[in-house]
Amino acid sequence: MSLFSIIASRLWSETMMQDALNYQVNSAIRPEVIYLGLEKTPLIMIDNFALDLSGLRQQAQHSDFMRESQTYYPGQRAVLPKAYVAASLNAVYQLIYQVYQVPETLRLKPQMLFYALITQPENSLHPLQCMPHFDTSSTYYFALLHYLNDGPHGSTGFFRHKPTGFERVTDQRRQDYFQSAQQFIDQHGAPPQRYQVQSNQHYELYHQIPYQANRLIIYPGNLLHSSLVDVATDINGSPATGRLTANMFIDFV
């Protein structure tokens, strides 16, 4: 039984299974594995992921985007079409198992699935929004980020924490990272109230993946990363012209 069948049977109706045929992944995709930083963490990049983005874009333009108050995401989110999620995960889940050596005893579990737009101006940012972040310290939790609109828009940047040298915040490193980061802030003050788009005394930007329509990237959620927000183009609540992404977060449990 394919992952598509498992997910569809457990989570969605037969109607949604039929609708999945409207979202077709390019059968000729050629994944590229990029090894990031000094720790050589694999990142999977797939260009031309979908055969056609028009349906996904139109769906976004008719979706209800809302601010998520329970997270620090600096923008608005809307629900992704379930059929698109199923088709996308079915196309890449075996690749994730292979590249990241996920134990076969673990099973994929979708966590958060949403369209995203950056809408928050810099003068309203919380200090934590002015620093790189990690999604979780779990070993087998991954982010899938699909760029949907035409550019130009800001890249996705990956950062190294200079005091510790950490590029990933694992369960074993979590306490040391938080203590060190807080110590730096205590000594040097809170970060400037702006999006972090380059290196500074606290973090080094060591790699970035440019925003390109129909590019999908997959990376571990414990990598320190951030959207490299271009305030001229990216702070835009329009699904037609903003920095629109499809964000899928998955865990293996």
Side-chain angles (χ1 to χ4, degrees):
M1 179 178 289
S2 71
L3 180 67
F4 173 84
S5 298
I6 295 171
I7 293 176
S9 63
R10 290 181 179 177
L11 301 180
W12 304 314
S13 67
E14 292 184 2
T15 299
M16 291 306 298
M17 291 174 63
Q18 294 299 320
D19 288 346
L21 299 177
N22 296 326
Y23 298 94
Q24 296 185 35
V25 174
N26 181 5
S27 61
I29 57 175
R30 301 182 66 179
E32 177 183 356
V33 180
I34 301 168
Y35 293 92
L36 300 180
L38 299 176
E39 297 185 358
K40 303 300 181 184
T41 303
L43 176 146
I44 302 169
M45 184 173 74
I46 305 173
D47 287 340
N48 304 310
F49 182 68
L51 281 180
D52 185 358
L53 285 179
S54 60
L56 202 56
R57 288 171 169 174
Q58 290 174 9
Q59 176 77 21
Q61 292 170 27
H62 291 88
S63 296
D64 294 324
F65 280 80
M66 299 181 63
R67 181 65 184 271
E68 175 55 67
S69 59
Q70 296 181 344
T71 72
Y72 285 105
Y73 181 75
Q76 298 181 347
R77 296 172 172 177
V79 177
L80 278 173
K82 294 173 182 177
Y84 158 77
V85 173
S88 297
L89 295 183
N90 189 54
V92 300
Y93 81 101
Q94 291 180 327
L95 181 63
I96 295 173
Y97 270 107
Q98 294 167 3
V99 170
Y100 296 102
Q101 299 181 354
V102 179
E104 294 183 359
T105 55
L106 302 183
R107 291 294 175 260
L108 186 154
K109 183 178 180 181
Q111 299 295 317
M112 297 185 293
L113 313 163
F114 53 82
Y115 288 114
L117 286 167
I118 296 171
T119 59
Q120 192 168 342
E122 290 189 302
N123 62 10
S124 68
L125 293 176
H126 185 279
L128 288 177
Q129 295 172 307
C130 304
M131 302 165 58
H133 68 279
F134 64 99
D135 303 317
T136 174
S137 58
S138 299
T139 303
Y140 299 116
Y141 187 105
F142 300 94
L144 291 79
L145 185 65
H146 192 185
Y147 301 137
L148 299 182
N149 275 345
D150 295 323
H153 288 296
S155 306
T156 299
F158 296 89
F159 290 82
R160 180 179 300 111
H161 185 239
K162 287 184 176 180
T164 61
F166 294 163
E167 296 170 359
R168 302 174 71 171
V169 181
T170 62
D171 288 341
Q172 295 76 21
R173 294 175 172 182
R174 186 184 181 101
Q175 183 175 355
D176 289 342
Y177 170 72
F178 282 134
Q179 289 179 345
S180 178
Q182 186 61 57
Q183 183 179 21
F184 185 95
I185 292 172
D186 291 342
Q187 293 176 352
H188 300 277
Q193 195 177 34
R194 58 175 179 261
Y195 290 105
Q196 182 156 1
V197 298
Q198 59 189 9
S199 299
N200 61 14
Q201 288 183 309
H202 200 182
Y203 294 92
E204 178 184 355
L205 173 63
Y206 66 87
H207 197 91
Q208 54 184 293
I209 303 294
Y211 184 108
Q212 177 177 305
N214 208 14
R215 169 173 287 168
L216 177 80
I217 60 175
I218 304 170
Y219 56 88
N222 57 22
L223 275 167
L224 287 164
H225 63 280
S226 181
S227 299
L228 304 184
V229 178
D230 184 338
V231 296
T233 60
D234 296 351
I235 303 176
N236 180 351
S238 168
T241 59
R243 188 184 184 277
L244 181 67
T245 58
N247 299 44
M248 295 173 278
F249 295 90
I250 61 173
D251 200 1
F252 286 83
V253 296

